[in-house]
Amino acid sequence: MAHPDRFRIVKLSDELRKEYDLPGFICANPESMPFPEGQAFYQWVIDDNACEPITAYNYLNIILPFLNFLWDSSPSLHYTAPAEQIRNRVKDYLKDKLGCAVRPRSS
């Protein structure tokens, strides 16, 4: 069962999808509200990067832990913040959560 306090993908039943003409899933934020940017990311990966739907779904699944990290560690920093602010949080995520060595590029 998905944790209601996390960004997550909620799969919709076939009946619900057909009755209301909905996609196969929706993204929800930690407040259990729809997260349309997740759906937009999924569609962008398909449309602009010519990926199959399953690949786009997997990519979306992979960024959700970062969004949870961002929500928990920097509640005032929104995922639409300037790139430099997000880049710094990505570095923190890679170091703190994934144990990666993050070094500046020599160029």
Side-chain angles (χ1 to χ4, degrees):
M1 181 174 163
H3 296 286
D5 60 341
R6 298 283 180 245
F7 281 88
R8 63 200 175 283
I9 297 171
V10 179
K11 291 187 179 184
L12 303 176
S13 70
D14 289 339
E15 297 81 24
L16 190 61
R17 289 175 50 209
K18 288 176 186 172
E19 184 174 345
Y20 296 101
D21 192 30
L22 295 170
F25 66 89
I26 60 169
C27 295
N29 73 16
E31 295 172 337
S32 296
M33 298 301 297
F35 176 62
E37 292 83 357
Q39 211 77 29
F41 172 81
Y42 170 83
Q43 202 59 51
W44 171 77
V45 171
I46 292 171
D47 294 343
D48 291 1
N49 296 289
C51 287
E52 294 294 320
I54 189 66
T55 302
Y57 183 86
N58 289 337
Y59 286 168
L60 176 60
N61 236 340
I62 291 198
I63 68 163
L64 294 180
F66 171 71
L67 294 176
N68 290 321
F69 173 80
L70 188 60
W71 183 280
D72 292 340
S73 64
S74 301
S76 63
L77 180 64
H78 206 252
Y79 48 85
T80 57
E84 186 60 33
Q85 291 177 355
I86 297 296
R87 190 175 296 115
N88 288 333
R89 297 309 295 148
V90 168
K91 288 178 193 175
D92 293 341
Y93 178 72
L94 291 171
K95 290 189 294 187
D96 300 345
K97 289 293 186 183
L98 302 181
C100 296
V102 179
R103 297 181 188 95
R105 293 180 73 173
S106 59
S107 58

